[in-house]
Amino acid sequence: MMAARVKLVSRVLWLGCVLAFRCLVLVPGGLPGAWGLDNGLAMTPTMGWLHWERFMCNVNCQEEPDSCISEKLFLQIAEIMASDGWKDVGYEYICIDDCWMAPKRDSKGRLEADPKRFPNGIRRLADYVHSKGLKLGIYADVGNKTCAGFPGSFGYYDIDAKTFADWGVDLLKFDGCHCDSIQHLAEGYKQMSLALNRTGRSIVYSCEWPLYMWPIFKPNYTEIRKYCNHWRNFADIYDSWESIKNTLDWTSSNQKIIVPVAGPGGWNDPDMLVIGNFGLSQDQQITQMALWAIMAAPLLMSNDLRHISPEAKALLQDKDVIAINQDRLGKQGYRLRKENSFEVWERPLLNLAWAVAIVNLQEIGGPRSYIISVTSLGRGLACNPDCLITELLPEKRKLGFYEWTSSLKTQINPTGTVLLRLEKTS
Ligand code: GLA
């Protein structure tokens, strides 16, 4: 284990130097990229689908065969992801969350899928997913039990990592429920990272380590980044505007801590996209998509791709917005300003371009206009001496050429967002 850790750390140092060099070249005066888990994965935020928010722990396949957690659900979603344009725009990982397991481990201590709901087992499911050109994610827990009470991985990290690798799994979401101490939590997250590494299979490692640390003390993000490809910081997302707002508030309140650590290989995870469900208006869905792009968040949809409105599908498949999310510079955006119930967020992009999102948080009245002087954007550089501005959301349209002293007038619906891309003209 010691040898493996030393090797990991030295490779991490090497990657850190490479990233630092790359960032210094691309962003004059910019800070070197933070060091990350060196498994070569998640160089841009992970994109895919995760069952939890929409399907939760429904194990009642007798009465609800179409929405219970069973291989049928994942087979159907995989088929649609491959055939309905999702894969083409980048959604790649189809991820199982909690409640897939049998209640007990097998006689050799290995996890098993529930035999009634997954009669062909995870290996066969992974084969099918791979045959569609997609990847499979699975879920386990660092403690004694998963959050929903299924077998936990404490004491079984190596066995479970090997089982997942043998099955052909490509991503592990590792939850933090039922862990008896903060030491076990931290050690467990690290040990599972090393165990996955030892399998030799490329497995994206999605952690919830900081979320479970925050109530006790401030997480060490530099350390977390060395072991995880992305990490949840804040409460579970719900299908509601309240939940989206709380997630954005938490993120902006903690941006000094969390934004600098994000970069290729390691990302802050504000949880799933709930676009296409029941709780958000069209404007609120636009806000989620725009801000998840600004935050360089993993784009893991939790919805029913078998029944989704054309508007939600178009929004989730918007290539220009996805391009911002997946921008190779890999810098997370931040909130620039909050005034008069508007928020302005911005994110630096490759080639000195910037993404800007303006959110209207006033929940009374109609659309309100917001005038922004472009001098204030992109640390004074985005439109210096001039820039081309394109509106991406809510509508795709070229707004034209702006000089450094110009102002831009936007009109934004209540709880909606205008997402802009600013490009240098030369
Ligand atoms: C926790 C996680 C959720 C989900 C559930 C499953 O609450 O934060 O994302 O995985 O457990 O039980």
Side-chain angles (χ1 to χ4, degrees):
M1 156 121 56
M2 208 48 217
R5 187 171 301 182
V6 169
K7 195 166 157 222
L8 183 91
V9 169
S10 63
R11 290 169 72 201
V12 161
L13 280 168
W14 176 82
L15 180 74
C17 294
V18 172
L19 286 176
F21 177 71
R22 210 194 286 161
C23 293
L24 283 169
V25 168
L26 292 172
V27 195
L31 289 170
W35 296 342
L37 168 60
D38 179 22
N39 59 5
L41 301 170
M43 298 311 281
T44 61
T46 304
M47 292 178 66
W49 183 93
L50 174 62
H51 94 238
W52 184 255
E53 193 288 322
R54 178 64 188 256
F55 296 97
M56 300 192 73
C57 193
N58 184 352
V59 291
N60 186 356
C61 292
Q62 292 292 66
E63 283 167 38
E64 295 174 45
D66 290 332
S67 50
C68 69
I69 306 314
S70 70
E71 63 183 27
K72 187 175 143 197
L73 175 67
F74 297 96
L75 293 171
Q76 290 182 349
I77 299 288
E79 155 67 28
I80 292 173
M81 265 174 70
S83 62
D84 264 5
W86 302 100
K87 187 180 105 180
D88 299 339
V89 295
Y91 295 97
E92 188 181 18
Y93 288 81
I94 168 155
C95 303
I96 308 172
D97 207 287
D98 205 346
C99 306
W100 62 271
M101 296 173 195
K104 289 212 158 52
R105 289 174 178 271
D106 74 5
S107 57
K108 292 190 174 136
R110 290 174 305 202
L111 289 171
E112 281 185 306
D114 183 279
K116 285 219 177 67
R117 294 182 285 118
F118 292 83
N120 294 296
I122 304 295
R123 168 88 249 183
R124 289 280 292 280
L125 179 56
D127 288 347
Y128 179 80
V129 166
H130 294 151
S131 78
K132 295 277 160 195
L134 298 167
K135 297 201 154 94
L136 184 71
I138 208 160
Y139 167 100
D141 189 285
V142 71
N144 294 307
K145 281 190 264 174
T146 72
C147 297
F150 290 84
S153 294
F154 184 71
Y156 294 91
Y157 300 132
D158 272 300
I159 296 181
D160 291 354
K162 188 167 178 322
T163 304
F164 299 145
D166 289 346
W167 285 344
V169 161
D170 307 290
L171 177 150
L172 173 65
K173 171 173 173 175
F174 209 39
D175 212 337
C177 275
H178 301 291
C179 198
D180 56 10
S181 71
I182 204 80
Q183 284 74 22
H184 279 160
L185 184 89
E187 275 310 306
Y189 271 105
K190 291 186 209 172
Q191 281 181 29
M192 186 50 114
S193 179
L194 298 171
L196 291 171
N197 201 296
R198 278 193 293 272
T199 68
R201 188 173 172 83
S202 290
I203 301 178
V204 172
Y205 187 39
S206 167
C207 300
E208 299 202 34
W209 180 1
L211 166 61
Y212 290 89
M213 298 263 316
W214 270 110
I216 302 159
F217 50 76
K218 191 179 137 191
N220 177 347
Y221 280 98
T222 314
E223 182 174 43
I224 290 168
R225 192 182 153 81
K226 284 182 192 159
Y227 291 93
C228 301
N229 290 120
H230 26 96
W231 47 86
R232 284 271 310 282
N233 293 311
F234 183 62
D236 290 4
I237 200 124
Y238 277 46
D239 185 14
S240 74
W241 176 236
E242 180 75 14
S243 176
I244 303 293
K245 266 193 310 186
N246 290 342
T247 305
L248 293 175
D249 280 349
W250 189 90
T251 304
S252 51
S253 309
N254 291 283
Q255 61 188 12
K256 281 213 174 80
I257 304 168
I258 65 168
V259 168
V261 285
W267 310 97
N268 291 294
D269 177 5
D271 213 0
M272 294 157 270
L273 291 168
V274 294
I275 295 165
N277 292 324
F278 308 96
L280 302 185
S281 70
Q282 177 66 10
D283 285 302
Q284 293 160 0
Q285 296 182 60
I286 287 171
T287 296
Q288 189 183 30
M289 193 69 190
L291 272 293
W292 263 236
I294 294 278
M295 291 189 291
L299 297 181
L300 293 167
M301 306 177 281
S302 194
N303 50 19
D304 189 345
L305 297 181
R306 298 164 301 183
H307 310 283
I308 188 160
S309 71
E311 293 79 16
K313 185 175 173 187
L315 179 59
L316 288 162
Q317 292 193 358
D318 189 315
K319 287 190 186 147
D320 297 312
V321 182
I322 291 173
I324 289 178
N325 174 270
Q326 297 285 300
D327 186 85
R328 294 248 157 210
L329 185 60
K331 290 212 169 261
Q332 180 172 342
Y334 48 85
R335 194 177 73 189
L336 178 67
R337 181 179 317 147
K338 183 180 168 89
E339 60 181 355
N340 191 18
S341 296
F342 287 104
E343 287 190 5
V344 181
W345 292 62
E346 63 177 19
R347 173 177 175 185
L349 305 172
L350 263 186
N351 299 327
L352 307 175
W354 287 79
V356 174
I358 308 165
V359 194
N360 173 9
L361 288 163
Q362 186 166 288
E363 295 179 41
I364 185 168
R368 290 193 302 152
S369 47
Y370 186 77
I371 298 172
I372 190 155
S373 95
V374 300
T375 335
S376 66
L377 298 174
R379 303 193 178 110
L381 297 172
C383 292
N384 187 0
D386 50 43
C387 64
L388 274 171
I389 305 187
T390 310
E391 177 181 313
L392 303 181
L393 292 173
E395 269 176 64
K396 174 89 196 275
R397 56 194 177 121
K398 290 205 161 87
L399 301 184
F401 185 75
Y402 286 77
E403 289 184 336
W404 200 53
T405 49
S406 323
S407 290
L408 171 72
K409 186 174 176 188
T410 55
Q411 179 86 353
I412 315 165
N413 290 348
T415 67
T417 292
V418 167
L419 179 67
L420 309 167
R421 186 182 176 103
L422 281 57
E423 311 261 2
K424 288 284 194 198
T425 52
S426 52

